[in-house]
Coordinates of all heavy atoms in Angstrom, one line a residue:
M1 N -128.2 28.2 -42.9 CA -127.2 29.0 -42.1 C -125.8 28.3 -42.3 O -125.6 27.2 -42.3 CB -127.6 29.0 -40.6 CG -126.8 29.9 -39.8 SD -127.6 30.0 -38.2 CE -127.6 31.7 -38.0
R2 N -124.9 29.2 -42.5 CA -123.5 28.7 -42.8 C -122.7 28.6 -41.5 O -122.7 29.5 -40.7 CB -122.9 29.7 -43.8 CG -121.6 29.2 -44.4 CD -121.2 30.2 -45.5 NE -120.0 29.7 -46.0 CZ -119.2 30.4 -46.8 NH1 -119.6 31.5 -47.2 NH2 -118.1 29.9 -47.2
S3 N -121.9 27.5 -41.4 CA -121.1 27.3 -40.3 C -119.7 27.7 -40.5 O -119.2 27.5 -41.6 CB -121.1 25.8 -39.9 OG -120.2 25.6 -38.8
S4 N -119.1 28.4 -39.6 CA -117.7 28.8 -39.8 C -116.8 28.0 -38.9 O -115.8 28.6 -38.4 CB -117.6 30.3 -39.4 OG -117.9 30.5 -38.1
S5 N -117.1 26.8 -38.7 CA -116.2 25.9 -37.8 C -114.9 25.6 -38.5 O -114.0 25.2 -37.8 CB -117.0 24.7 -37.4 OG -117.2 23.9 -38.5
G6 N -114.8 25.6 -39.8 CA -113.6 25.3 -40.5 C -112.5 26.2 -40.2 O -111.4 25.7 -39.7
P7 N -112.6 27.5 -40.3 CA -111.5 28.4 -40.0 C -111.2 28.4 -38.5 O -110.1 28.6 -38.1 CB -112.0 29.8 -40.5 CG -113.0 29.5 -41.5 CD -113.6 28.2 -41.1
L8 N -112.3 28.3 -37.7 CA -112.1 28.3 -36.2 C -111.3 27.1 -35.8 O -110.5 27.1 -34.9 CB -113.4 28.5 -35.5 CG -114.0 29.9 -35.6 CD1 -115.4 29.8 -34.8 CD2 -113.1 30.9 -35.0
L9 N -111.7 26.0 -36.4 CA -111.0 24.7 -36.0 C -109.5 24.8 -36.4 O -108.6 24.4 -35.7 CB -111.7 23.5 -36.7 CG -111.1 22.2 -36.4 CD1 -111.4 21.9 -34.9 CD2 -111.8 21.1 -37.3
Y10 N -109.2 25.4 -37.6 CA -107.9 25.5 -38.1 C -107.1 26.5 -37.1 O -105.9 26.2 -36.8 CB -107.8 26.1 -39.5 CG -106.5 26.3 -40.0 CD1 -105.6 25.3 -40.4 CD2 -106.0 27.6 -40.1 CE1 -104.4 25.5 -40.9 CE2 -104.7 27.9 -40.6 CZ -103.9 26.8 -41.0 OH -102.6 27.1 -41.4
L11 N -107.7 27.6 -36.7 CA -107.1 28.5 -35.8 C -106.8 27.9 -34.5 O -105.7 28.1 -33.9 CB -108.0 29.8 -35.7 CG -107.4 30.9 -34.8 CD1 -106.1 31.4 -35.4 CD2 -108.4 31.9 -34.6
R12 N -107.7 27.1 -33.9 CA -107.6 26.5 -32.6 C -106.4 25.5 -32.7 O -105.6 25.4 -31.8 CB -108.8 25.8 -32.2 CG -108.7 25.1 -30.8 CD -109.9 24.4 -30.5 NE -110.1 23.3 -31.5 CZ -110.2 22.0 -31.1 NH1 -110.2 21.7 -29.9 NH2 -110.3 21.1 -32.1
N13 N -106.3 24.7 -33.8 CA -105.3 23.8 -34.0 C -103.9 24.5 -34.1 O -102.9 24.1 -33.5 CB -105.5 22.9 -35.2 CG -104.6 21.7 -35.3 OD1 -104.0 21.3 -34.3 ND2 -104.5 21.1 -36.5
Y14 N -103.9 25.5 -34.9 CA -102.6 26.3 -35.0 C -102.2 26.9 -33.7 O -101.0 26.9 -33.4 CB -102.9 27.4 -36.1 CG -101.7 28.3 -36.4 CD1 -100.6 27.8 -37.1 CD2 -101.6 29.6 -35.8 CE1 -99.5 28.6 -37.4 CE2 -100.5 30.4 -36.1 CZ -99.5 29.9 -36.9 OH -98.4 30.6 -37.1
L15 N -103.1 27.5 -32.9 CA -102.7 28.1 -31.7 C -102.3 27.1 -30.6 O -101.4 27.3 -29.8 CB -103.9 28.9 -31.1 CG -104.2 30.2 -31.9 CD1 -105.4 30.9 -31.3 CD2 -103.0 31.2 -31.9
S16 N -102.9 25.9 -30.6 CA -102.5 24.9 -29.6 C -101.2 24.4 -30.0 O -100.4 24.1 -29.1 CB -103.6 23.8 -29.6 OG -103.7 23.2 -30.8
K17 N -100.8 24.2 -31.3 CA -99.5 23.8 -31.6 C -98.5 24.8 -31.3 O -97.3 24.5 -30.9 CB -99.4 23.4 -33.1 CG -100.1 22.1 -33.5 CD -100.0 21.8 -34.9 CE -100.7 20.5 -35.2 NZ -100.6 20.1 -36.6
A18 N -98.8 26.1 -31.5 CA -97.9 27.2 -31.1 C -97.6 27.2 -29.6 O -96.5 27.4 -29.2 CB -98.5 28.5 -31.6
F19 N -98.7 26.9 -28.8 CA -98.5 26.9 -27.4 C -97.6 25.7 -27.0 O -96.7 25.9 -26.1 CB -99.9 26.7 -26.7 CG -99.7 26.4 -25.2 CD1 -99.5 27.4 -24.3 CD2 -99.9 25.1 -24.7 CE1 -99.4 27.2 -23.0 CE2 -99.7 24.9 -23.4 CZ -99.5 25.9 -22.5
V20 N -97.7 24.6 -27.6 CA -96.9 23.4 -27.3 C -95.4 23.7 -27.7 O -94.5 23.4 -26.9 CB -97.4 22.2 -28.0 CG1 -96.4 21.0 -28.0 CG2 -98.7 21.7 -27.4
I21 N -95.2 24.4 -28.8 CA -93.9 24.7 -29.3 C -93.2 25.7 -28.4 O -92.1 25.6 -28.0 CB -93.9 25.1 -30.8 CG1 -94.2 24.0 -31.7 CG2 -92.5 25.7 -31.1 CD1 -94.5 24.4 -33.1
L22 N -93.9 26.7 -28.0 CA -93.3 27.8 -27.3 C -93.2 27.5 -25.8 O -92.2 28.0 -25.2 CB -94.2 29.1 -27.4 CG -94.1 29.8 -28.8 CD1 -95.1 30.9 -28.8 CD2 -92.7 30.3 -29.0
F23 N -94.1 26.8 -25.2 CA -94.0 26.6 -23.7 C -93.8 25.2 -23.3 O -92.9 24.9 -22.4 CB -95.4 27.1 -23.1 CG -95.6 28.6 -23.3 CD1 -96.6 29.0 -24.2 CD2 -94.9 29.5 -22.7 CE1 -96.8 30.3 -24.4 CE2 -95.1 30.8 -22.9 CZ -96.1 31.3 -23.8
A24 N -94.5 24.2 -23.8 CA -94.4 22.9 -23.3 C -93.1 22.2 -23.7 O -92.5 21.5 -22.9 CB -95.6 22.0 -23.9
L25 N -92.6 22.4 -24.9 CA -91.4 21.7 -25.4 C -90.2 22.2 -24.6 O -89.4 21.3 -24.1 CB -91.1 21.9 -26.9 CG -92.0 21.0 -27.8 CD1 -91.7 21.2 -29.2 CD2 -92.0 19.6 -27.4
P26 N -89.9 23.5 -24.4 CA -88.8 23.9 -23.6 C -88.9 23.4 -22.1 O -87.9 23.0 -21.6 CB -88.8 25.4 -23.7 CG -89.5 25.7 -24.9 CD -90.6 24.6 -25.0
V27 N -90.0 23.5 -21.5 CA -90.2 23.1 -20.1 C -90.0 21.6 -20.0 O -89.2 21.1 -19.1 CB -91.5 23.5 -19.6 CG1 -91.8 22.9 -18.2 CG2 -91.6 25.0 -19.5
L28 N -90.6 20.8 -20.9 CA -90.5 19.3 -20.8 C -89.0 18.9 -21.1 O -88.5 17.9 -20.5 CB -91.5 18.6 -21.7 CG -92.9 18.7 -21.3 CD1 -93.8 18.1 -22.3 CD2 -93.1 18.0 -19.9
G29 N -88.4 19.5 -22.1 CA -87.0 19.2 -22.4 C -86.1 19.5 -21.3 O -85.2 18.7 -21.0
T30 N -86.2 20.6 -20.6 CA -85.4 20.9 -19.5 C -85.6 20.0 -18.4 O -84.7 19.5 -17.7 CB -85.6 22.4 -19.0 OG1 -85.5 23.2 -20.2 CG2 -84.7 22.8 -17.9
W31 N -86.9 19.7 -18.1 CA -87.2 18.7 -17.0 C -86.6 17.3 -17.3 O -86.1 16.6 -16.4 CB -88.7 18.6 -16.8 CG -89.1 17.8 -15.6 CD1 -89.4 16.5 -15.6 CD2 -89.1 18.2 -14.3 NE1 -89.6 16.0 -14.4 CE2 -89.5 17.1 -13.5 CE3 -89.0 19.4 -13.6 CZ2 -89.7 17.2 -12.2 CZ3 -89.1 19.5 -12.3 CH2 -89.5 18.4 -11.5
L32 N -86.7 16.9 -18.6 CA -86.2 15.6 -19.0 C -84.7 15.5 -18.8 O -84.3 14.5 -18.1 CB -86.5 15.4 -20.5 CG -86.1 14.1 -21.1 CD1 -87.2 13.0 -20.7 CD2 -86.1 14.2 -22.6
V33 N -84.0 16.4 -19.2 CA -82.5 16.4 -19.0 C -82.1 16.5 -17.5 O -81.3 15.7 -17.1 CB -81.8 17.5 -19.9 CG1 -80.3 17.6 -19.5 CG2 -82.0 17.3 -21.3
G34 N -82.8 17.4 -16.8 CA -82.5 17.6 -15.4 C -82.8 16.3 -14.6 O -82.0 15.9 -13.7
S35 N -83.9 15.7 -14.9 CA -84.3 14.5 -14.1 C -83.3 13.3 -14.4 O -83.0 12.5 -13.5 CB -85.7 14.1 -14.3 OG -86.0 13.8 -15.7
L36 N -82.9 13.2 -15.7 CA -81.9 12.2 -16.0 C -80.6 12.4 -15.3 O -80.0 11.5 -14.7 CB -81.7 12.1 -17.5 CG -80.7 11.1 -18.0 CD1 -81.2 9.7 -17.7 CD2 -80.4 11.2 -19.5
V37 N -80.1 13.6 -15.3 CA -78.8 13.9 -14.7 C -78.9 13.7 -13.2 O -78.0 13.0 -12.6 CB -78.4 15.3 -15.0 CG1 -77.2 15.7 -14.1 CG2 -78.0 15.5 -16.5
C38 N -80.0 14.1 -12.6 CA -80.1 14.0 -11.1 C -80.4 12.5 -10.7 O -80.0 12.1 -9.6 CB -81.2 14.9 -10.6 SG -80.8 16.6 -10.7
A39 N -81.1 11.8 -11.6 CA -81.3 10.3 -11.3 C -80.0 9.6 -11.3 O -79.8 8.6 -10.6 CB -82.2 9.7 -12.4
I40 N -79.0 10.0 -12.1 CA -77.7 9.4 -12.1 C -76.9 9.9 -10.9 O -76.2 9.1 -10.2 CB -77.0 9.7 -13.4 CG1 -77.7 9.0 -14.6 CG2 -75.5 9.3 -13.4 CD1 -77.2 9.5 -15.9
I41 N -77.0 11.1 -10.5 CA -76.1 11.7 -9.4 C -76.6 11.3 -8.1 O -75.8 11.0 -7.2 CB -76.1 13.2 -9.6 CG1 -75.3 13.6 -10.8 CG2 -75.5 13.9 -8.3 CD1 -75.3 15.1 -11.1
A42 N -77.9 11.1 -7.8 CA -78.5 10.9 -6.5 C -77.9 9.6 -5.9 O -77.5 9.6 -4.7 CB -80.0 10.9 -6.5
P43 N -78.0 8.4 -6.6 CA -77.4 7.2 -5.9 C -75.9 7.3 -5.7 O -75.4 6.8 -4.7 CB -77.7 6.1 -6.9 CG -78.8 6.6 -7.8 CD -78.6 8.1 -7.8
I44 N -75.2 8.0 -6.6 CA -73.7 8.1 -6.4 C -73.5 9.0 -5.2 O -72.6 8.7 -4.4 CB -73.1 8.8 -7.7 CG1 -73.2 7.8 -8.8 CG2 -71.6 9.1 -7.4 CD1 -72.8 8.4 -10.2
A45 N -74.2 10.1 -5.0 CA -74.1 10.9 -3.8 C -74.4 10.1 -2.6 O -73.8 10.3 -1.5 CB -75.0 12.2 -3.9
G46 N -75.5 9.3 -2.6 CA -75.9 8.5 -1.4 C -74.8 7.5 -1.1 O -74.5 7.3 0.1
L47 N -74.1 6.9 -2.1 CA -73.1 6.0 -1.8 C -71.8 6.7 -1.2 O -71.2 6.2 -0.3 CB -72.7 5.3 -3.1 CG -71.6 4.2 -3.1 CD1 -72.1 3.0 -2.3 CD2 -71.1 3.9 -4.4
L48 N -71.5 7.8 -1.8 CA -70.3 8.6 -1.3 C -70.6 9.1 0.2 O -69.7 9.0 1.0 CB -70.0 9.8 -2.2 CG -69.4 9.4 -3.5 CD1 -69.3 10.7 -4.4 CD2 -68.1 8.8 -3.4
R49 N -71.8 9.5 0.4 CA -72.1 10.0 1.8 C -72.1 8.9 2.8 O -71.7 9.0 4.0 CB -73.4 10.8 1.8 CG -73.6 11.5 3.2 CD -74.7 12.5 3.1 NE -74.8 13.2 4.3 CZ -75.7 13.0 5.2 NH1 -76.6 12.0 5.1 NH2 -75.7 13.7 6.3
T50 N -72.6 7.7 2.4 CA -72.6 6.6 3.3 C -71.2 6.2 3.7 O -71.0 5.8 4.9 CB -73.3 5.4 2.6 OG1 -74.6 5.7 2.2 CG2 -73.3 4.1 3.5
F51 N -70.2 6.3 2.8 CA -68.9 5.9 3.2 C -68.0 7.1 3.7 O -66.8 7.0 3.6 CB -68.2 5.2 2.0 CG -68.8 3.9 1.7 CD1 -69.6 3.6 0.6 CD2 -68.7 2.8 2.7 CE1 -70.1 2.4 0.3 CE2 -69.3 1.6 2.4 CZ -70.0 1.4 1.3
G52 N -68.6 8.1 4.1 CA -67.9 9.2 4.9 C -67.5 10.4 4.1 O -66.8 11.2 4.7
F53 N -68.0 10.6 2.9 CA -67.7 11.9 2.2 C -68.7 12.9 2.8 O -69.8 13.0 2.3 CB -67.8 11.7 0.7 CG -67.2 12.8 -0.1 CD1 -65.9 13.1 -0.1 CD2 -68.0 13.6 -0.8 CE1 -65.4 14.1 -0.8 CE2 -67.5 14.7 -1.6 CZ -66.2 14.9 -1.6
S54 N -68.2 13.7 3.7 CA -69.1 14.6 4.4 C -69.5 15.9 3.7 O -70.3 16.7 4.2 CB -68.6 15.0 5.8 OG -67.3 15.7 5.6
A55 N -68.9 16.2 2.6 CA -69.2 17.4 1.8 C -70.6 17.3 1.2 O -71.1 18.4 0.8 CB -68.2 17.7 0.8
I56 N -71.2 16.2 1.1 CA -72.5 16.0 0.4 C -73.5 16.1 1.5 O -73.5 15.4 2.5 CB -72.6 14.6 -0.3 CG1 -71.6 14.6 -1.4 CG2 -74.0 14.4 -0.8 CD1 -71.4 13.3 -2.1
G57 N -74.4 17.0 1.4 CA -75.5 17.2 2.3 C -76.8 16.7 1.8 O -77.2 17.0 0.7
M58 N -77.5 15.9 2.6 CA -78.8 15.4 2.2 C -79.8 15.8 3.3 O -79.7 15.3 4.4 CB -78.8 13.9 2.1 CG -78.0 13.4 0.9 SD -78.2 11.6 0.7 CE -77.5 11.4 -0.9
R59 N -80.7 16.7 3.0 CA -81.6 17.2 4.0 C -83.0 17.0 3.6 O -83.4 17.2 2.4 CB -81.4 18.7 4.2 CG -80.0 19.1 4.7 CD -80.0 20.5 5.1 NE -78.7 20.9 5.7 CZ -78.4 20.7 7.0 NH1 -79.2 20.2 7.8 NH2 -77.2 21.1 7.4
L60 N -83.8 16.6 4.6 CA -85.3 16.5 4.3 C -85.9 17.9 4.5 O -86.8 18.2 3.8 CB -85.9 15.4 5.2 CG -85.5 14.0 4.9 CD1 -86.1 13.1 5.9 CD2 -85.9 13.6 3.5
T61 N -85.5 18.5 5.6 CA -86.0 19.9 5.9 C -84.7 20.7 6.2 O -83.6 20.1 6.4 CB -86.9 19.9 7.1 OG1 -86.2 19.5 8.2 CG2 -88.1 19.0 6.9
P62 N -84.8 22.0 6.3 CA -83.6 22.8 6.6 C -83.0 22.4 8.0 O -81.8 22.7 8.2 CB -84.2 24.2 6.7 CG -85.3 24.2 5.8 CD -86.0 22.9 5.9
S63 N -83.8 21.9 8.9 CA -83.2 21.6 10.2 C -83.0 20.1 10.4 O -82.4 19.7 11.4 CB -84.2 22.0 11.3 OG -85.4 21.4 11.2
Y64 N -83.4 19.2 9.5 CA -83.2 17.8 9.7 C -82.4 17.2 8.5 O -82.8 17.2 7.4 CB -84.5 17.0 9.8 CG -84.4 15.6 10.0 CD1 -84.0 15.0 11.2 CD2 -84.7 14.7 9.0 CE1 -83.8 13.7 11.4 CE2 -84.6 13.3 9.1 CZ -84.1 12.8 10.3 OH -84.0 11.5 10.5
S65 N -81.3 16.6 8.8 CA -80.4 15.9 7.8 C -80.6 14.4 7.9 O -80.9 13.8 9.0 CB -79.0 16.3 8.1 OG -78.2 15.7 7.1
V66 N -80.5 13.8 6.8 CA -80.7 12.3 6.7 C -79.5 11.7 7.4 O -78.3 12.1 7.2 CB -80.7 11.8 5.2 CG1 -80.8 10.3 5.2 CG2 -81.9 12.4 4.6
P67 N -79.7 10.7 8.3 CA -78.5 10.0 8.9 C -77.6 9.4 7.9 O -78.1 8.9 6.8 CB -79.1 9.0 9.8 CG -80.5 9.4 10.0 CD -80.9 10.2 8.8
E68 N -76.3 9.4 8.1 CA -75.3 8.8 7.2 C -75.6 7.4 6.8 O -75.4 7.0 5.7 CB -73.9 9.0 7.7 CG -73.4 10.4 7.6 CD -72.0 10.6 8.0 OE1 -71.3 9.5 8.0 OE2 -71.6 11.7 8.2
L69 N -76.1 6.6 7.7 CA -76.4 5.2 7.5 C -77.5 5.1 6.4 O -77.5 4.1 5.7 CB -76.7 4.5 8.8 CG -76.9 3.0 8.7 CD1 -75.7 2.3 8.3 CD2 -77.4 2.5 10.0
L70 N -78.4 6.0 6.4 CA -79.6 5.9 5.5 C -79.4 6.7 4.2 O -80.3 6.9 3.4 CB -80.8 6.4 6.2 CG -81.3 5.6 7.4 CD1 -82.5 6.2 8.1 CD2 -81.6 4.2 7.0
S71 N -78.2 7.2 4.0 CA -77.9 8.0 2.8 C -78.0 7.2 1.5 O -78.6 7.7 0.5 CB -76.5 8.6 2.8 OG -76.5 9.5 3.9
L72 N -77.5 6.0 1.5 CA -77.6 5.1 0.3 C -79.1 4.8 0.0 O -79.5 5.0 -1.2 CB -76.8 3.9 0.4 CG -76.8 3.0 -0.8 CD1 -76.2 3.8 -2.0 CD2 -75.9 1.8 -0.6
P73 N -79.9 4.3 0.9 CA -81.3 4.0 0.5 C -82.0 5.3 0.1 O -82.9 5.3 -0.8 CB -81.9 3.4 1.8 CG -80.8 2.9 2.6 CD -79.6 3.8 2.2
Y74 N -81.7 6.4 0.8 CA -82.4 7.7 0.4 C -82.0 8.1 -1.0 O -82.8 8.5 -1.8 CB -82.0 8.7 1.4 CG -82.6 10.1 1.2 CD1 -83.9 10.4 1.5 CD2 -81.8 11.1 0.6 CE1 -84.4 11.6 1.2 CE2 -82.3 12.4 0.4 CZ -83.6 12.6 0.7 OH -84.2 13.9 0.5
G75 N -80.7 7.9 -1.3 CA -80.3 8.3 -2.7 C -80.9 7.4 -3.7 O -81.2 7.8 -4.8
L76 N -81.0 6.1 -3.4 CA -81.7 5.1 -4.3 C -83.1 5.5 -4.6 O -83.6 5.4 -5.7 CB -81.5 3.7 -3.8 CG -80.1 3.2 -3.9 CD1 -80.0 1.8 -3.2 CD2 -79.6 3.1 -5.3
V77 N -83.8 5.8 -3.5 CA -85.3 6.2 -3.6 C -85.4 7.4 -4.4 O -86.3 7.5 -5.4 CB -85.9 6.3 -2.2 CG1 -87.3 6.9 -2.3 CG2 -86.0 4.9 -1.6
V78 N -84.6 8.4 -4.2 CA -84.7 9.7 -4.9 C -84.3 9.4 -6.4 O -85.0 10.0 -7.3 CB -83.8 10.8 -4.3 CG1 -83.7 12.0 -5.1 CG2 -84.4 11.2 -2.9
G79 N -83.3 8.6 -6.6 CA -82.9 8.3 -8.0 C -84.0 7.6 -8.7 O -84.2 7.8 -9.9
F80 N -84.7 6.6 -8.0 CA -85.8 5.9 -8.7 C -86.9 6.9 -9.0 O -87.5 6.8 -10.1 CB -86.3 4.8 -7.7 CG -87.5 4.1 -8.3 CD1 -87.4 3.2 -9.3 CD2 -88.7 4.4 -7.7 CE1 -88.6 2.6 -9.8 CE2 -89.9 3.8 -8.2 CZ -89.8 2.9 -9.3
L81 N -87.3 7.8 -8.1 CA -88.3 8.7 -8.4 C -88.0 9.6 -9.5 O -88.8 9.9 -10.4 CB -88.6 9.5 -7.1 CG -89.3 8.8 -6.0 CD1 -89.4 9.7 -4.8 CD2 -90.7 8.3 -6.4
L82 N -86.7 10.0 -9.6 CA -86.3 10.9 -10.7 C -86.3 10.1 -12.1 O -86.6 10.6 -13.1 CB -84.9 11.5 -10.4 CG -85.0 12.6 -9.4 CD1 -83.6 12.9 -8.9 CD2 -85.6 13.8 -10.0
A83 N -85.9 8.8 -12.0 CA -85.9 8.0 -13.2 C -87.4 7.8 -13.7 O -87.6 7.8 -14.9 CB -85.2 6.6 -12.9
W84 N -88.3 7.6 -12.7 CA -89.7 7.5 -13.1 C -90.2 8.7 -13.7 O -90.9 8.7 -14.7 CB -90.5 7.1 -11.8 CG -91.9 7.0 -12.0 CD1 -92.6 5.9 -12.4 CD2 -92.9 8.0 -11.7 NE1 -93.9 6.1 -12.4 CE2 -94.2 7.4 -12.0 CE3 -92.9 9.3 -11.2 CZ2 -95.4 8.1 -11.9 CZ3 -94.1 9.9 -11.1 CH2 -95.3 9.3 -11.4
S85 N -89.8 9.9 -13.2 CA -90.1 11.2 -13.7 C -89.6 11.3 -15.1 O -90.2 11.8 -16.1 CB -89.6 12.3 -12.8 OG -89.8 13.5 -13.5
F86 N -88.3 10.9 -15.3 CA -87.7 10.9 -16.7 C -88.5 10.1 -17.7 O -88.8 10.6 -18.8 CB -86.3 10.4 -16.6 CG -85.6 10.1 -17.9 CD1 -85.2 11.2 -18.7 CD2 -85.5 8.9 -18.4 CE1 -84.6 10.9 -19.9 CE2 -85.0 8.6 -19.6 CZ -84.5 9.7 -20.4
Y87 N -88.9 8.9 -17.3 CA -89.6 8.0 -18.2 C -91.0 8.6 -18.6 O -91.3 8.7 -19.8 CB -89.9 6.7 -17.5 CG -90.7 5.7 -18.3 CD1 -90.3 5.1 -19.4 CD2 -92.1 5.5 -17.9 CE1 -91.1 4.3 -20.1 CE2 -92.9 4.6 -18.6 CZ -92.4 4.0 -19.7 OH -93.2 3.2 -20.4
H88 N -91.7 9.1 -17.7 CA -93.0 9.7 -18.0 C -92.9 11.1 -18.7 O -93.8 11.4 -19.6 CB -93.9 9.8 -16.7 CG -94.4 8.5 -16.3 ND1 -95.3 7.7 -17.0 CD2 -94.0 7.7 -15.2 CE1 -95.5 6.6 -16.3 NE2 -94.7 6.5 -15.3
T89 N -91.9 11.8 -18.4 CA -91.7 13.1 -19.1 C -91.3 12.8 -20.5 O -91.7 13.5 -21.5 CB -90.6 13.9 -18.4 OG1 -91.0 14.1 -17.1 CG2 -90.5 15.3 -19.1
R90 N -90.5 11.8 -20.8 CA -90.1 11.4 -22.1 C -91.4 11.0 -22.9 O -91.5 11.3 -24.1 CB -89.1 10.3 -22.0 CG -88.5 9.9 -23.3 CD -87.4 8.9 -23.1 NE -87.1 8.3 -24.4 CZ -86.8 7.0 -24.5 NH1 -86.8 6.2 -23.5 NH2 -86.5 6.5 -25.7
R91 N -92.2 10.2 -22.3 CA -93.5 9.8 -23.0 C -94.3 11.0 -23.4 O -94.9 11.1 -24.5 CB -94.3 8.8 -22.1 CG -93.7 7.5 -22.0 CD -94.5 6.6 -21.2 NE -95.9 6.5 -21.6 CZ -96.9 6.1 -20.9 NH1 -96.7 5.6 -19.7 NH2 -98.1 6.0 -21.4
L92 N -94.5 12.0 -22.4 CA -95.2 13.2 -22.7 C -94.6 14.0 -23.8 O -95.3 14.6 -24.6 CB -95.4 14.0 -21.4 CG -96.3 15.2 -21.5 CD1 -97.7 14.8 -21.9 CD2 -96.3 15.9 -20.1
L93 N -93.3 14.1 -23.8 CA -92.6 14.9 -24.8 C -92.8 14.2 -26.2 O -93.0 15.0 -27.2 CB -91.1 15.0 -24.4 CG -90.3 15.9 -25.2 CD1 -90.8 17.4 -25.1 CD2 -88.8 15.9 -24.7
R94 N -92.7 12.9 -26.2 CA -93.0 12.3 -27.5 C -94.4 12.5 -28.0 O -94.6 12.7 -29.2 CB -92.8 10.8 -27.4 CG -91.3 10.4 -27.4 CD -91.2 8.9 -27.3 NE -89.8 8.5 -27.4 CZ -89.4 7.3 -27.4 NH1 -90.3 6.3 -27.3 NH2 -88.1 7.0 -27.4
R95 N -95.4 12.5 -27.1 CA -96.8 12.8 -27.5 C -96.9 14.2 -28.0 O -97.6 14.5 -29.0 CB -97.7 12.6 -26.3 CG -98.0 11.2 -26.0 CD -98.8 11.1 -24.8 NE -100.0 10.4 -25.1 CZ -101.0 10.2 -24.3 NH1 -101.0 10.7 -23.1 NH2 -102.1 9.5 -24.7
C96 N -96.2 15.2 -27.4 CA -96.2 16.6 -27.9 C -95.6 16.7 -29.2 O -96.1 17.4 -30.1 CB -95.5 17.5 -26.9 SG -96.3 17.8 -25.3
I97 N -94.5 16.0 -29.5 CA -93.9 16.0 -30.8 C -94.8 15.4 -31.9 O -94.9 16.0 -33.0 CB -92.5 15.4 -30.7 CG1 -91.6 16.3 -29.9 CG2 -91.9 15.2 -32.1 CD1 -90.2 15.7 -29.6
T98 N -95.4 14.3 -31.5 CA -96.3 13.7 -32.6 C -97.6 14.6 -32.8 O -98.1 14.7 -33.9 CB -96.8 12.3 -32.1 OG1 -97.4 12.4 -30.9 CG2 -95.7 11.3 -32.1
F99 N -98.0 15.4 -31.8 CA -99.1 16.3 -31.9 C -98.7 17.4 -32.9 O -99.5 17.9 -33.7 CB -99.5 16.9 -30.6 CG -100.5 18.0 -30.7 CD1 -101.8 17.8 -31.1 CD2 -100.1 19.3 -30.3 CE1 -102.7 18.8 -31.2 CE2 -101.0 20.4 -30.4 CZ -102.3 20.1 -30.9
I100 N -97.5 17.9 -32.7 CA -97.0 19.0 -33.6 C -96.9 18.5 -35.0 O -97.2 19.2 -36.0 CB -95.6 19.5 -33.1 CG1 -95.8 20.2 -31.8 CG2 -95.0 20.4 -34.1 CD1 -94.5 20.6 -31.1
N101 N -96.4 17.3 -35.2 CA -96.2 16.7 -36.6 C -97.5 16.3 -37.3 O -97.5 16.1 -38.5 CB -95.3 15.6 -36.5 CG -93.9 16.0 -36.2 OD1 -93.4 17.1 -36.5 ND2 -93.1 15.1 -35.6
T102 N -98.6 16.3 -36.6 CA -99.9 15.9 -37.3 C -100.6 17.1 -37.8 O -100.4 18.2 -37.4 CB -100.8 15.1 -36.3 OG1 -101.1 15.9 -35.2 CG2 -100.2 13.8 -36.0

């Protein structure tokens, strides 16, 4: 009996690379840039709000705002989480690119 796994394996590999190119790369690229920009902006916004720049709003819920005294630690924590997201998204994006190139 003859096995047809050769063409099916090629088709599966081709379709999975097409999925990565069409969907994963744009989403991961957008998330990568957005998380980097926000990781830079969040501590700056926390610092500005701590020293009285009231135009910056930091809310946990629609009805609860972070106290001004805690704006800097809140901005640092959010910035760290976004930097962590940037690092891991970058690693995943690199894996996707090496998958496409193989």
Side-chain angles (χ1 to χ4, degrees):
M1 193 171 224
R2 192 170 175 189
S3 174
S4 64
S5 64
L8 289 178
L9 185 64
Y10 178 74
L11 180 65
R12 183 184 62 122
N13 192 18
Y14 180 76
L15 290 175
S16 61
K17 286 182 181 184
F19 172 78
V20 168
I21 290 171
L22 288 175
F23 298 109
L25 286 181
V27 170
L28 289 175
T30 305
W31 186 267
L32 183 77
V33 172
S35 63
L36 177 64
V37 169
C38 291
I40 293 169
I41 290 174
I44 295 171
L47 183 70
L48 288 174
R49 187 164 186 262
T50 300
F51 291 113
F53 192 66
S54 62
I56 298 172
M58 293 187 169
R59 297 189 177 275
L60 292 175
T61 65
S63 62
Y64 179 73
S65 181
V66 176
E68 286 187 13
L69 185 62
L70 296 176
S71 295
L72 183 60
Y74 180 75
L76 289 174
V77 168
V78 170
F80 173 75
L81 290 174
L82 287 165
W84 180 80
S85 171
F86 168 78
Y87 173 73
H88 288 288
T89 305
R90 186 172 167 222
R91 286 181 56 196
L92 184 59
L93 191 59
R94 283 184 177 181
R95 287 178 121 182
C96 289
I97 290 172
T98 56
F99 171 69
I100 292 169
N101 290 330
T102 58

